[in-house]
Amino acid sequence: MASVQHAEGDRRDFLFLATGAAAAVGGAAVVWPFISQLAPDAATVAAGAPVELDLSSIAAGAQIKILWRGKPYFVRNRTEAEIKAAQDVDISTLRDPETDAHRVKEGHAKWLITAANCTHLGCVPLGNQGDYGGWFCPCHGSHFDTSGRIRKGPAPKNLPVPQYTFVSETRIRITGAAAA
Amino acid sequence: MQGHSHYVPKTGIGKWFDARLPLPRLVYDSFIAYPVPKNLNYFWTFGGILSVMLVAQIITGVVLAMHYTAHVDLAFNSIEKIMRDVNYGWMIRYLHANGASMFFVAVYVHMLRGLYYGSYKAPREILWILGVIIYLLMMATAFMGYVLPWGQMSLWGAVVITNLFSAIPVVGPTIVEFLWGGYSVDNPTLNRFFSLHYLLPFMIAGVVALHVWALHVTGQNNPTGVEVKDIKKDTVPFTPYATIKDAFGIICFFILFAWFAFFQPNYLGHAVNYVPGDPLVTPAHIVPEWYFLPFYAILRAITFDINLIVFVIPSKLGGVLAMFAAIAVLAFLPWLDTSKVKSTAYRPLHKQFFWAFVVVCVMLGWLGSKPAEYPYTVLSLIFTGLYFAYFLLVLPLLGLFETPKALPASIADAVLEQERKKGGAPVTAGANAAPQTKG
Ligand code: HEM
Ligand code: FES
């Protein structure tokens, strides 16, 4: 008798483990699609392809906003004074230390291109305002300088510079969001 | 409190039904024979008010959903269509929008009632925590509902709040993309918010059922904080006493609700939300609805990095953590308050700290509505400190140092004592006394 009981116990143990394993693996396999569907879908990803922008109509001292991937970007044609102010900063005093040269393309220092969402909580800062003449974010009071660097207020980072290249003297191609 | 059921079905059909599904028995035991402390005041009608408001939100919401279109190009216009073209659409929308505000008025009174009378203390910890969960779900629901009309405040409120999650180290930015379903708050975001805004109220209804279940296991607290000792002497049956008192409270509350909905329908809202959402222009001053303002002030109070020596919490993460902590701390209240005495009526020192805390919350609300500049930023930080001090310093220490007043021996004694003070005719404790009627 004892041996029969033992055999039955083995069979139950096997069924128990097999059922448990199938439930765990199956459960995980079913959960994944339900999480994955939340991600940007194929059409959204496709609509986020690189764009080109003509700069010739932006006068010195002016800035425009463009929308790419549903998000605004600043394109600013900086004046000599603004460039100088940005270059003269001692970067060791900055919250997010970056030189101005690092934030523009060589030979194109007057063009500053940054994402236009405040690095605090995403509002669009107002141009030519704030204590540093760059941008002021009205939402929670962040001040950015003429290089788009955070100088004061709650934002932790500089306005990020997207990935772009100059395809000609007056034309850029934006290829990707800023490397985080 | 639950005790033994005394339900006796009167008819043959009733008996037949009761043996198969004892639903009438459940209703009888929970809402008719159920014993309630006889000294409850009007602050105890807010649970009933909240239940009715949840039903009101669901009814008006389901009707709105019949006319609403969840698409970034159409949502704003579909709301205008509801306001102008749909028969009584203006009324249903104003009832829903102002209903959300009234819902929060009621929940804040209800929670402060719990705070004042120590209703979170043993044996009601689970009951209280379920309440905190309902409050969280309500906030999520109201936030997503406010996004639906897709006005400027809808859009930018959504941008600010979803970006909170980007403060999470490492995975934050990915989480935010998964919330948005894209690279920004856009059509996929609006669609999923609508789906969840429809779902969450029903989840709230589910948690409310657990909340009421827990309530009926422990029984209600009461203004003395002394537990029921003798069902006969200390309680009255739910029907008619509590039913009528609740109904009266609900009607009074509805008068206030109707006044807002019909005479000041936009007073609690923001005019800029009648401008269609535009991702290129941030409104000059982003503020959430009034019921979120204290937490918004706490979020904005942390404008500096917090150096914990081992690691540094950047200011943005600090603000987000402080805001969530301000809500989470409520769940720990039962263990933070060390006093043995429940009701603040018998805690002379706590009475002062309680009202100071109410003032702190109101001040935080006011600061949340102000622009982020000096002196509001500094004041926000001070009042955020005071908010946490109440929970983390005052409540734990007060219980050790405060000398409470003498508690009445029982609820019946407290009622008799009050009658005596008022010079009313002496009533004997056993004489099935009428419930106290003065709020
Ligand atoms: C816990 C209960 C609920 C709360 C607190 C709540 C809150 C809100 C809020 C604050 C708004 C924005 C109102 C405005 O400014 O226009 C809103 C809109 C909306 N809600 Fe709800 N809601 C609740 C339940 C529901 C339910 C059950 C539905 C059913 C589908 C619903 C459907 C809608 C629709 C379609 C809108 C957009 C129309 C509009 O903006 O008036 N809601 N909700
Ligand atoms: S979003 Fe710009 S300061 Fe908060």
Side-chain angles (χ1 to χ4, degrees):
Chain A
M1 268 324 263
S3 69
V4 173
Q5 260 174 5
H6 191 207
E8 207 160 89
D10 274 352
R11 199 168 64 106
R12 285 193 180 149
D13 285 350
F14 172 74
L15 286 176
F16 177 77
L17 285 175
T19 310
V25 174
V30 169
V31 165
W32 175 243
F34 282 88
I35 293 174
S36 174
Q37 57 81 25
L38 288 169
D41 65 18
T44 309
V45 174
V51 283
E52 286 196 8
L53 178 73
D54 180 20
L55 306 177
S56 57
S57 58
I58 308 169
Q63 80 168 29
I64 62 160
K65 267 182 276 180
I66 59 159
L67 206 56
W68 182 58
R69 290 187 170 177
K71 274 192 178 157
Y73 287 82
F74 291 130
V75 180
R76 182 155 167 163
N77 188 347
R78 302 188 295 175
T79 62
E80 287 303 327
E82 286 173 345
I83 298 170
K84 183 153 184 344
Q87 287 171 342
D88 285 352
V89 177
D90 172 9
I91 67 160
S92 65
T93 63
L94 297 178
R95 179 177 301 167
D96 182 10
E98 254 186 311
T99 60
D100 186 58
H102 187 70
R103 295 175 53 79
V104 295
K105 300 286 176 209
E106 219 184 316
H108 299 282
K110 65 176 185 172
W111 294 109
L112 178 69
I113 292 126
T114 71
N117 291 111
C118 179
T119 53
H120 182 228
L121 293 172
C123 294
V124 178
L126 307 168
N128 299 315
Q129 290 194 29
D131 295 355
Y132 298 88
W135 287 270
F136 172 70
C137 183
C139 292
H140 316 98
S142 288
H143 299 254
F144 299 88
D145 66 15
T146 53
S147 191
R149 292 173 299 202
I150 177 66
R151 301 297 289 272
K152 199 171 137 190
K157 295 261 174 217
N158 302 335
L159 292 177
V161 176
Q163 300 165 31
Y164 68 96
T165 49
F166 275 87
V167 288
S168 76
E169 254 332 279
T170 58
R171 218 175 157 74
I172 57 166
R173 184 175 154 86
I174 301 180
T175 52
Chain B
M1 277 305 264
Q2 211 165 29
H4 178 69
S5 176
H6 297 294
Y7 178 67
V8 186
K10 291 194 189 68
T11 61
I13 289 201
K15 266 197 203 96
W16 182 87
F17 202 93
D18 189 54
R20 284 154 181 81
L21 179 69
L23 185 63
R25 176 181 299 272
L26 184 70
V27 172
Y28 179 86
D29 290 343
S30 315
F31 301 109
I32 296 175
Y34 181 72
V36 293
K38 61 163 92 160
N39 59 341
L40 297 187
N41 60 33
Y42 272 106
F43 287 111
W44 265 265
T45 61
F46 278 84
I49 290 171
L50 282 162
S51 311
V52 174
M53 285 310 295
L54 178 60
V55 174
Q57 286 306 91
I58 290 180
I59 293 173
T60 51
V62 168
V63 172
L64 284 173
M66 295 175 186
H67 304 278
Y68 170 79
T69 313
H71 187 284
V72 287
D73 297 333
L74 305 171
F76 189 86
N77 288 337
S78 75
I79 298 292
E80 287 309 305
K81 188 196 70 182
I82 291 172
M83 295 299 287
R84 291 152 203 264
D85 297 348
V86 175
N87 291 342
Y88 293 101
W90 58 272
M91 185 186 92
I92 294 161
R93 170 160 184 255
Y94 280 154
L95 286 177
H96 194 75
N98 287 282
S101 274
M102 300 313 288
F103 206 150
F104 279 92
V105 169
V107 88
Y108 285 135
V109 175
H110 192 67
M111 291 166 76
L112 286 174
R113 185 280 317 260
L115 218 55
Y116 189 86
Y117 293 110
S119 301
Y120 46 82
K121 289 189 200 181
R124 297 186 183 79
E125 303 94 325
I126 298 287
L127 176 58
W128 172 261
I129 291 171
L130 287 167
V132 176
I133 294 173
I134 294 171
Y135 177 52
L136 269 176
L137 288 172
M138 269 175 71
M139 291 203 278
T141 308
F143 160 65
M144 288 193 266
Y146 193 70
V147 175
L148 301 184
W150 208 248
Q152 272 290 64
M153 221 38 126
S154 300
L155 170 62
W156 288 98
V159 170
V160 169
I161 300 301
T162 51
N163 269 310
L164 291 180
F165 294 89
S166 70
I168 302 170
V170 191
V171 289
T174 312
I175 291 184
V176 174
E177 266 192 15
F178 272 60
L179 284 176
W180 289 336
Y183 305 111
S184 57
V185 174
D186 211 327
N187 199 47
T189 327
L190 177 60
N191 268 296
R192 60 190 61 182
F193 277 20
F194 182 45
S195 173
L196 293 175
H197 184 69
Y198 210 133
L199 168 71
L200 286 188
F202 295 92
M203 293 184 56
I204 294 178
V207 185
V208 168
L210 295 180
H211 189 72
V212 174
W213 185 9
L215 173 76
H216 284 198
V217 171
T218 61
Q220 281 158 297
N221 187 23
N222 66 84
T224 65
V226 176
E227 295 294 327
V228 169
K229 290 184 179 132
D230 179 337
I231 298 227
K232 266 223 179 71
K233 288 184 186 160
D234 293 343
T235 71
V236 289
F238 192 92
T239 301
Y241 296 107
T243 334
I244 297 298
K245 192 162 182 158
D246 278 355
F248 184 71
I250 290 165
I251 298 287
C252 291
F253 192 78
F254 268 38
I255 292 173
L256 179 68
F257 179 17
W259 181 76
F260 271 111
F262 290 102
F263 294 100
Q264 293 291 339
N266 290 306
Y267 180 73
L268 297 167
H270 301 286
V272 69
N273 215 29
Y274 284 101
V275 175
D278 179 352
L280 284 176
V281 185
T282 311
H285 187 50
I286 298 189
V287 262
E289 294 286 89
W290 68 267
Y291 37 80
F292 293 137
L293 287 174
F295 298 109
Y296 197 55
I298 292 174
L299 169 74
R300 301 191 304 177
I302 314 294
T303 52
F304 46 86
D305 300 349
I306 304 168
N307 196 333
L308 295 179
I309 305 168
V310 209
F311 57 92
V312 177
I313 301 179
S315 56
K316 174 170 160 183
L317 183 60
V320 173
L321 288 178
M323 186 181 80
F324 283 112
I327 303 166
V329 74
L330 292 171
F332 297 96
L333 200 52
W335 298 278
L336 287 171
D337 183 350
T338 49
S339 173
K340 299 262 180 313
V341 176
K342 287 200 187 96
S343 171
T344 301
Y346 301 93
R347 299 183 60 190
L349 277 178
H350 181 249
K351 189 178 277 180
Q352 295 174 29
F353 280 108
F354 171 84
W355 288 110
F357 174 73
V358 173
V359 171
V360 167
C361 292
V362 172
M363 283 300 291
L364 279 172
W366 175 71
L367 289 165
S369 74
K370 291 288 161 193
E373 348 174 302
Y374 186 83
Y376 307 119
T377 36
V378 182
L379 286 173
S380 297
L381 188 62
I382 294 172
F383 280 95
T384 299
L386 292 175
Y387 177 93
F388 283 106
Y390 175 75
F391 291 107
L392 302 177
L393 284 175
V394 174
L395 285 183
L397 292 179
L398 208 54
L400 308 178
F401 295 115
E402 185 183 40
T403 322
K405 289 196 214 164
L407 290 174
S410 71
I411 294 173
D413 278 359
V415 172
L416 287 175
E417 175 66 23
Q418 210 171 17
E419 286 299 317
R420 212 176 7 254
K421 273 202 198 129
K422 270 189 269 172
V427 206
T428 42
N432 175 13
Q436 187 228 351
T437 45
K438 312 265 158 52

